[in-house]
Amino acid sequence: MGKKRSSSKIFSEHEIKQLESNPNVLHVTDKSITYAPAFKLAAVKAYISGQTPMEIFRNAGFNVDVIGHDKPHQCLKRWRYTYSALGENGLLEEQRGKGSTGRPTEERLSMEEKLKRAEARIKLLEAENDFLKKLDALETQKMQRKH
């Protein structure tokens, strides 16, 4: 889910060290926390059994003043969605980039797409040639004026 974080919290060096010391965290940058997959699954199961997102994160040793008071709710919402769509493995395996074909390789492009790219390249090269011709003409004019 490519949503931007609603809070633009920047973690300090001290906060990063504090967060990284939590066994439920894999990695922390100044802007994001990567949670341990086992914690994600445990959190969803705790939620299903009736705990609130805030209780789950506090019980897991998180300082909500550091991570942000909306973070537990946001994470649980996202993880519950993943859990309902993909099951336990959806939370235990890295999902980012899965199923993404990325930029198409040259072999997978249709002939029509290859033609469009070639035409665009030709237009660019023609414009470049025209520019260079004009530049050359200006240089020639400049030299003739000096003589």
Side-chain angles (χ1 to χ4, degrees):
M1 304 178 94
K3 291 181 183 171
K4 280 183 77 179
R5 285 170 31 120
S6 62
S7 64
S8 54
K9 174 124 175 77
I10 305 285
F11 299 115
S12 70
E13 282 295 315
H14 174 72
E15 290 170 332
I16 291 171
K17 283 186 173 69
Q18 181 186 347
L19 288 164
E20 284 182 334
S21 71
N22 186 317
N24 297 306
V25 171
L26 288 183
H27 180 68
V28 182
T29 68
D30 62 342
K31 293 181 183 173
S32 70
I33 304 168
T34 303
Y35 298 93
F39 170 65
K40 293 178 187 182
L41 181 59
V44 168
K45 288 183 175 183
Y47 182 84
I48 291 168
S49 75
Q51 289 186 40
T52 68
M54 195 66 82
E55 286 173 330
I56 294 165
F57 272 71
R58 283 192 174 131
N59 291 341
F62 288 99
N63 179 343
V64 291
D65 291 331
V66 171
I67 65 171
H69 289 264
D70 54 342
K71 185 58 63 186
H73 177 74
Q74 289 173 348
C75 290
L76 259 298
K77 186 176 179 182
R78 189 172 64 246
W79 298 340
R80 284 184 1 247
Y81 175 82
T82 301
Y83 182 75
S84 66
L86 304 169
E88 288 191 7
N89 284 345
L91 291 172
L92 296 173
E93 295 173 9
E94 177 59 68
Q95 296 302 315
R96 286 176 290 195
K98 277 208 173 157
S100 168
T101 56
R103 186 175 288 161
T105 60
E106 205 60 39
E107 306 94 59
R108 292 204 325 245
L109 294 175
S110 68
M111 287 307 284
E112 192 176 316
E113 189 60 35
K114 286 182 180 178
L115 181 61
K116 277 184 190 173
R117 286 187 176 190
E119 286 172 344
R121 183 161 168 74
I122 289 167
K123 280 185 183 174
L124 177 69
L125 292 170
E126 286 174 342
E128 198 174 84
N129 271 347
D130 288 344
F131 174 77
L132 291 172
K133 284 178 187 172
K134 288 176 185 171
L135 189 64
D136 193 42
L138 286 171
E139 287 291 323
T140 305
Q141 277 180 355
K142 193 175 173 185
M143 294 304 257
Q144 287 173 351
R145 282 190 201 136
K146 284 186 176 178
H147 294 338

